Amino acid sequence: MNIVFMGTPAFAVSSLQRLHEAGHNISLVVTQPDRPFGRGKKIKKSEVKEKAEELGLEIFQPTRIKHEDSISKIKELNPDFIIVVAYGQILSKEILNIPKFGCINVHASLLPSLRGAAPINWSIINGDKITGVTTMLMDEGLDTGDMLLKSEVEITEAMTAGELHDVLSEVGAKILIKTIDEINDIERVKQDNNKASYAPMLKKEMSLINWKDSAQNIHNMIRGLNPNQLAYFPYLEGSTVKVHKTSIIDSFNGNSNYEAGTVLEASKNGIFVKAGDDKIILIEEFQMPGKNKVSTKDYLRGNTFREKIRLDYEYFKTINDNF
């Protein structure tokens, strides 16, 4: 098969690798332009570009895929498929109509659930137990095209968005190959828009932990934001602490007299923080400002963490006007 592949982040790399290993002719890899990244604003290639260079494939990085020059370049290749995996630009109807067998998208959810930009994160934030990958024929809507194949994945209680991302990337690559190989025999299933839900882009303000929420919701949010934009809470002297790993404790002796967000204990057993439903968030891994991630147990071997304080801005303002 003659394939034009469109993708940008790490999630798309497994699909590109599998297509290459399967012997398909990848005539062009389309990915987002190199961009400045991090505090130093060093120019960074996309993960897909790095993989394409490794495989010796032709790379195209248009600023606007809808531009006539971009459309003409793709038309000249006369592809059987355009494969889209987290590319990052909306395709016009003119592009969607180019390939013989259509544009196939690999989407990281069980459609029509979690259409949109961040389905992996929201599946965990929402507390879902099952998610998966769907291949679909693209149309002009937002993840609204006819579904082709699906594959389910279990979300475990401790799984982070980063861990789920890696699993779904591999699963997506596998069902993509199956979709291409069996395209003439696959029944196309229309999505039920009445059952649709959405997974919008993550916002920075989501990262501040709301200790008044239930322990389960807090735990889900922390997992769902890891590693994209780690959840955090304020600490002494105006600093903030990022949280990498937590678990839930159903009960803790003597917690009834304290408000949500209070550090009930900080010891070798962990940092125990009261949630809004009287259950406890056990912080197992975190990151102090300017430091690397560390387990609570290792940190407290040589450091202290204040007990009986509340980890929210309202509290710290009462004890420090300059906070």
Side-chain angles (χ1 to χ4, degrees), residues 104-253:
I104 293 179
N105 176 241
V106 178
H107 185 75
S109 80
L110 299 174
L111 292 170
S113 296
L114 298 178
R115 297 171 175 173
I120 297 174
N121 305 93
W122 283 101
S123 65
I124 294 180
I125 293 170
N126 292 343
D128 295 341
K129 302 300 182 184
I130 299 291
T131 187
V133 179
T134 306
T135 53
M136 69 173 175
L137 282 169
M138 297 177 67
D139 60 17
E140 293 181 88
L142 176 63
D143 301 324
T144 56
D146 290 353
M147 299 178 291
L148 298 170
L149 295 179
K150 290 185 178 183
S151 183
E152 292 188 354
V153 170
E154 179 185 0
I155 303 176
T156 63
E157 179 63 19
M159 183 177 277
T160 65
E163 293 165 343
L164 181 58
H165 166 281
D166 293 346
V167 172
L168 292 178
S169 177
E170 291 296 329
V171 170
K174 290 179 182 178
I175 70 165
L176 171 61
I177 300 302
K178 185 176 176 64
T179 299
I180 292 173
D181 290 346
E182 301 176 7
I183 190 64
N184 292 321
D185 300 318
I186 296 172
E187 179 185 359
R188 303 175 182 183
V189 180
K190 291 193 176 298
Q191 296 189 43
D192 184 347
N193 291 328
N194 293 323
K195 296 181 179 179
S197 60
Y198 293 88
M201 293 182 66
L202 303 178
K203 297 181 179 180
K204 286 186 177 181
E205 55 265 30
M206 293 172 57
S207 297
L208 177 62
I209 297 173
N210 174 18
W211 298 107
K212 294 178 181 179
D213 206 344
S214 70
Q216 189 66 61
N217 286 348
I218 294 169
H219 178 60
N220 292 345
M221 181 67 73
I222 289 168
R223 294 186 300 128
L225 294 178
N226 182 353
N228 303 72
Q229 53 176 59
L230 294 166
Y232 71 92
F233 57 79
Y235 193 51
L236 303 174
E237 299 175 352
S239 64
T240 56
V241 177
K242 296 177 180 178
V243 182
H244 288 258
K245 184 178 180 181
T246 57
S247 56
I248 300 173
I249 306 296
D250 286 334
S251 63
F252 193 91
N253 290 336

Side-chain angles (χ1 to χ4, degrees), residues 64-77:
R64 293 182 67 250
I65 193 64
K66 294 181 179 181
H67 195 279
E68 189 57 43
D69 289 346
S70 302
I71 296 171
S72 296
K73 184 176 182 66
I74 296 169
K75 278 184 176 179
E76 289 173 2
L77 296 171

Side-chain angles (χ1 to χ4, degrees), residues 11 15 29 31 68 82 93 101 117 121-123 141 180 200 274 279 298 318 322:
F11 183 79
S15 291
V29 174
T31 190
E68 189 57 43
I82 293 177
K93 184 177 181 180
F101 295 105
N121 305 93
W122 283 101
S123 65
I180 292 173
K274 184 177 179 180
K279 292 185 178 181
D298 288 344
T318 66
N322 297 319

Side-chain angles (χ1 to χ4, degrees), residues 278-292:
D278 286 343
K279 292 185 178 181
I280 307 301
I281 292 291
L282 174 59
I283 300 175
E284 300 178 21
E285 293 180 357
F286 63 97
Q287 185 175 354
M288 297 297 285
K291 303 294 183 181
N292 294 325

